[in-house]
Amino acid sequence: MVKQVTEINDASYLFNTGTGFNSQDYLGCHLAATGRAVFRVWAPHAKAVAVVGDFNDWQPNRLKLLGATGIWQGQLAGVHAGDLYKFQITTATGQVTLKIDPFAQQFERKPGDASVVVEPVSMVWHDSLWLARRKKSHAVNRPINIYEVHLGSWRRHADDSYETYAELATELIPYVKQLGYTHIELMPVMEHLLDASWGYQQLGYFAPTSRFGSRDDFLNFVDQCHQANIGVLVDWVPGHFIRNYDALYQYDGTPTFEYADAKRADNRRWGAWNFDLGKTQVQSFLISSALFWLDQCHLDGLRVDAVSNMLYLDYDEGREGQVNQYGDNRNLEGIAFLQKLNTTILARHPDVLMIAEESSAYPQVTGAVADGGLGFNYKWNMGWMHDTLDFFMMDPLYRHDHFNLLTFAFVYMFDEHFILPFSHDEVVHGKKSLMHKMPGDRYNQFANLRTMLTYMLAFPGKQLNFMGAEWGQFLEWRDWSALEWVDLKDKLNKRMQHFTATLNQVYRQNRPLWELDHAPEGIIYTHTDDPESSTMSFIRQAKRKYSFVVAAFNFVPVERREYRIGVPYRGHYELLLNTEDQAFGGTWTKLETDFTADAIPYRGQPASFTVTLPAMGALLIRPVKIMRGGVKHAR
């Protein structure tokens, strides 16, 4: 008995001091072998707390406050897995409300939001080989090519109902593998009520959404991804939470999870409440949530949403002019929380990815915490994404006047470790699909899209594409219906899909395209200062001296014959990819596949060769046998 009390005191102490990083093992509902269950909930300013559910005909059973911990506890008999329950909170003013269990690992299907009693996770995993590989070679040193998915609209049944986790495993995993992506990134799967929020206004921070099945169904989905050698990343939102009054808001009748300052608590931009990131119990809650998804669900990383909202006091509407004690707009609690989050997670899981969706120019997002950085592995390169889209949306006639949209990113490409994203945010709310953004007739739209995706692949940084872009869906994304799979009956869409699979294969098989993504020596600028021709070429270099890929781009629909490209060595080169190959929907029926570089210096390189650069197209070329000092070197 003394040991049990000590363990409880230790767990409550850790939770209250911001160091309880497995708080879900203590708080919430926990079944015992005797058919009983222990309920614990943090409600420090409540007058009384009870639990109601299927097991007591929704009549309150009072819980007992554990000293000064702010935690209420009770043990009930006759509680079984699958039972629904809530906590009944009596506030200091006598108001009685029903609240969710913040630590629930499953919820009933919407429109209900009761928590569900579940057994402890007892998953038998089959992904030991995947995890061993992940530990041996960190993803930073491997190709990362992410397929971003909204599970509710990737595919649906004929009656428009959702597919289950099991059905998605059967269909989505082979599809992603066939297309050659390395990872799936799921838009939030944490439980949420409002479909239109896409999961970014979360209800359950420890619960996979019940839309597609149970918690264990989700675990099986992840396990099958890993068995297919596909990593799984999930979007996670520690900055703000759902507005609903039966959720976390004023949980015990006072600001509990959110800021006490109403102005700081109110998140107008997203219609949510901001977490008080300086509160130690909130830190325990959120870091426990992150580790739950990584520990218990075997995820390979989290993309942390809306980081900018946590970095600045004045980021949201109505908070203009807010400053900290130093007179600037930094949210010091938010910055400290992010550093603590990443330090804690990467100490326990140095092989997972922590990715920041951060839209400002805040410095050192991926810098080491010891050096004042935030400690993320990666940051989405939003500047590159906006500039690249703006350039490709432009009529080619005017592109030469705006070439800086492409070249500006060369200035800062190594300031952070970047992921290049063409995400869901860019193909919704009237922004048009990637395909629809492209100028010209249908043929030219496909040509532009192929060239843009090749430019993305060749540019330093890992990469992400949202579902539907792989075949050039014309309609912008609609979260309420499935992708337009009927498009694939059209030969141009089908060939675009084939192009994407080929492009992804070229990426994975050629180390220069990913091995030195974050080092200046990973790129050699050969022809990047010629806006008048609207062409560009550069070389991506691998660690091995003689391993590199030449990338050449033509951003206007005018074929360039005898286009000279400078390279480091004389020798023989071969074609990896021509975006205008007829097999991809282009017009070239006969490809130039072999090139000879002679000792003709060009643009700072000692050798060069000429190609026919396709109109509105791109070429990827690599050396086969090169000459250096009179000696041949094979690739």
Side-chain angles (χ1 to χ4, degrees):
M1 186 67 177
V2 172
K3 182 181 178 183
Q4 183 182 4
V5 170
T6 301
E7 288 175 351
I8 290 172
N9 288 340
D10 286 348
S12 61
Y13 173 80
L14 293 174
F15 175 76
N16 279 303
T17 56
T19 53
F21 301 143
N22 296 100
S23 297
Q24 74 280 1
D25 295 338
Y26 170 58
L27 291 157
C29 171
H30 299 279
L31 286 170
T34 57
R36 303 173 72 85
V38 176
F39 293 86
R40 298 189 190 97
V41 64
W42 176 60
H45 299 108
K47 184 177 181 181
V49 176
V51 62
V52 298
D54 291 337
F55 38 79
N56 60 9
D57 294 324
W58 296 86
Q59 299 303 308
N61 281 90
R62 296 281 294 268
L63 305 184
K64 181 181 178 181
L65 181 62
L66 299 178
T69 66
I71 293 168
W72 301 74
Q73 175 182 294
Q75 188 172 127
L76 280 74
V79 181
H80 303 96
D83 286 345
L84 303 181
Y85 70 99
K86 286 192 173 188
F87 288 113
Q88 184 187 82
I89 308 291
T90 304
T91 71
T93 61
Q95 182 181 7
V96 178
T97 60
L98 292 180
K99 293 282 191 175
I100 65 163
D101 176 1
F103 290 89
Q105 293 183 22
Q106 194 164 313
F107 286 84
E108 67 174 325
R109 294 195 67 172
K110 66 180 185 104
D113 64 355
S115 305
V116 179
V117 177
V118 294
E119 299 278 1
V121 173
S122 58
M123 173 79 178
V124 178
W125 291 89
H126 306 88
D127 64 348
S128 57
L129 184 59
W130 168 267
L131 295 179
R133 283 199 203 109
R134 197 181 79 183
K135 287 181 180 178
K136 185 177 180 182
S137 176
H138 195 279
V140 170
N141 302 312
R142 300 198 306 269
I144 298 179
N145 188 7
I146 303 165
Y147 186 67
E148 188 188 23
V149 179
H150 179 256
L151 290 180
S153 59
W154 184 71
R155 265 196 184 134
R156 290 198 179 189
H157 296 131
D159 64 358
D160 209 34
S161 60
Y162 295 125
E163 292 200 337
T164 64
Y165 290 121
E167 290 168 332
L168 288 162
T170 301
E171 297 174 6
L172 176 60
I173 294 172
Y175 181 79
V176 171
K177 193 171 180 66
Q178 176 191 352
L179 268 289
Y181 292 99
T182 64
H183 291 72
I184 297 172
E185 181 173 315
L186 304 176
M187 291 170 66
V189 295
M190 295 77 185
E191 190 61 87
H192 55 283
L193 294 177
L194 180 65
D195 290 343
S197 79
W198 310 335
Y200 293 99
Q201 293 183 9
Q202 296 179 359
L203 174 80
Y205 275 75
F206 297 82
T209 177
S210 56
R211 286 165 173 76
F212 316 117
S214 68
R215 175 200 65 189
D216 293 347
D217 293 333
F218 175 73
L219 300 184
N220 275 294
F221 172 83
V222 175
D223 193 33
Q224 291 182 59
C225 284
H226 286 172
Q227 291 177 65
N229 290 319
I230 296 169
V232 184
L233 311 170
V234 171
D235 290 3
W236 180 64
V237 189
H240 56 84
F241 58 88
I242 192 171
R243 275 203 186 275
N244 295 37
Y245 281 42
D246 55 352
L248 301 182
Y249 176 66
Q250 298 223 342
Y251 195 83
D252 62 5
T254 67
T256 310
F257 289 88
E258 69 276 18
Y259 288 104
D261 181 339
K263 206 176 235 187
R264 294 189 69 184
D266 189 7
N267 189 316
R268 295 188 189 179
R269 184 177 298 220
W270 284 285
W273 302 111
N274 291 316
F275 279 108
D276 182 347
L277 300 175
K279 190 176 287 185
T280 52
Q281 295 88 347
V282 171
Q283 294 169 12
S284 289
F285 173 77
L286 289 172
I287 296 175
S288 294
S289 169
L291 284 170
F292 168 80
W293 293 97
L294 298 168
D295 288 340
Q296 299 295 319
C297 303
H298 285 208
L299 295 185
D300 300 289
L302 300 172
R303 193 217 69 160
V304 180
D305 185 66
V307 168
S308 300
N309 182 61
M310 293 180 272
L311 295 178
Y312 301 104
L313 294 170
D314 59 353
Y315 187 74
D316 194 17
E317 301 169 9
R319 284 158 56 187
E320 298 84 357
Q322 289 197 17
V323 295
N324 58 36
Q325 62 263 41
Y326 302 108
D328 61 59
N329 66 345
R330 290 173 300 149
N331 180 355
L332 301 178
E333 300 103 313
I335 292 167
F337 166 75
L338 291 169
Q339 292 173 325
K340 181 177 181 178
L341 169 74
N342 288 322
T343 299
T344 303
I345 287 175
L346 295 174
R348 187 179 296 192
H349 293 289
D351 53 339
V352 304
L353 295 176
M354 293 297 290
I355 302 166
E357 190 258 331
E358 203 283 304
S359 57
S360 77
Y362 189 89
Q364 295 195 81
V365 172
T366 58
V369 171
D371 298 327
L374 297 182
F376 285 97
N377 301 106
Y378 280 101
K379 171 183 173 175
W380 275 18
N381 194 337
M382 313 289 274
W384 175 92
M385 177 267 296
H386 285 299
D387 286 349
T388 301
L389 288 177
D390 286 347
F391 180 84
F392 274 92
M393 290 168 63
M394 194 178 300
D395 187 317
L397 184 64
Y398 306 110
R399 287 179 178 174
H400 67 279
D401 287 330
H402 300 275
F403 217 61
N404 63 304
L405 289 171
L406 294 185
T407 58
F408 180 63
F410 292 143
V411 175
Y412 65 86
M413 65 167 70
F414 300 116
D415 287 358
E416 304 276 6
H417 287 186
F418 283 121
I419 289 176
L420 312 175
F422 288 139
S423 73
H424 64 277
D425 275 328
E426 307 316 310
V427 294
V428 72
H429 296 328
K431 294 181 182 177
K432 304 179 182 178
S433 67
L434 289 189
M435 176 66 173
H436 196 182
K437 292 178 193 287
M438 300 297 107
D441 59 18
R442 194 158 184 264
Y443 167 78
N444 276 291
Q445 286 180 320
F446 275 106
N448 271 280
L449 184 57
R450 291 192 300 268
T451 301
M452 186 175 75
L453 294 182
T454 305
Y455 180 71
M456 176 191 203
L457 169 135
F459 198 90
K462 309 308 182 184
Q463 53 197 321
L464 173 144
N465 270 302
F466 186 58
M467 61 185 196
E470 70 271 18
W471 74 71
Q473 176 170 300
F474 188 80
L475 290 180
E476 70 174 18
W477 173 51
R478 299 170 300 179
D479 64 89
W480 62 89
S481 67
L483 294 177
E484 295 288 303
W485 293 96
V486 68
D487 286 351
L488 292 174
K489 292 181 179 179
D490 181 282
K491 69 178 183 179
L492 283 177
N493 289 113
K494 190 69 177 174
R495 288 177 178 177
M496 180 69 203
Q497 187 188 51
H498 171 57
F499 166 79
T500 301
T502 304
L503 185 69
N504 291 347
Q505 184 180 37
V506 167
Y507 171 71
R508 294 181 73 155
Q509 293 178 352
N510 289 273
R511 300 176 78 91
L513 296 173
W514 47 265
E515 196 170 47
L516 292 174
D517 271 328
H518 314 305
E521 56 267 29
I523 184 170
I524 301 170
Y525 308 100
T526 56
H527 194 155
T528 57
D529 59 351
D530 184 15
E532 287 307 312
S533 72
S534 292
T535 65
M536 177 185 289
S537 69
F538 53 80
I539 294 171
R540 290 300 311 278
Q541 178 68 51
K543 291 180 181 178
R544 242 183 87 230
K545 188 174 184 180
Y546 304 121
S547 178
F548 56 89
V549 169
V550 179
F553 303 91
N554 186 359
F555 301 114
V556 292
V558 179
E559 186 174 270
R560 307 288 185 181
R561 301 197 174 201
E562 297 296 314
Y563 183 81
R564 187 164 292 277
I565 298 175
V567 289
Y569 308 108
R570 294 181 295 123
H572 299 292
Y573 291 72
E574 69 178 2
L575 179 72
L576 281 173
L577 184 88
N578 181 335
T579 61
E580 276 298 292
D581 188 335
Q582 190 178 47
F584 304 147
T587 59
W588 282 43
T589 57
K590 187 175 181 181
L591 304 177
E592 293 179 333
T593 57
D594 300 292
F595 311 91
T596 300
D598 297 314
I600 302 174
Y602 188 70
R603 289 185 163 263
Q605 298 300 312
S608 63
F609 58 84
T610 61
V611 302
T612 299
L613 192 56
M616 194 58 66
L619 301 176
L620 297 178
I621 298 167
R622 69 180 176 186
V624 181
K625 290 182 179 178
I626 58 178
M627 296 290 295
R628 179 168 171 79
V631 180
K632 285 185 179 180
H633 297 269
R635 181 180 62 81

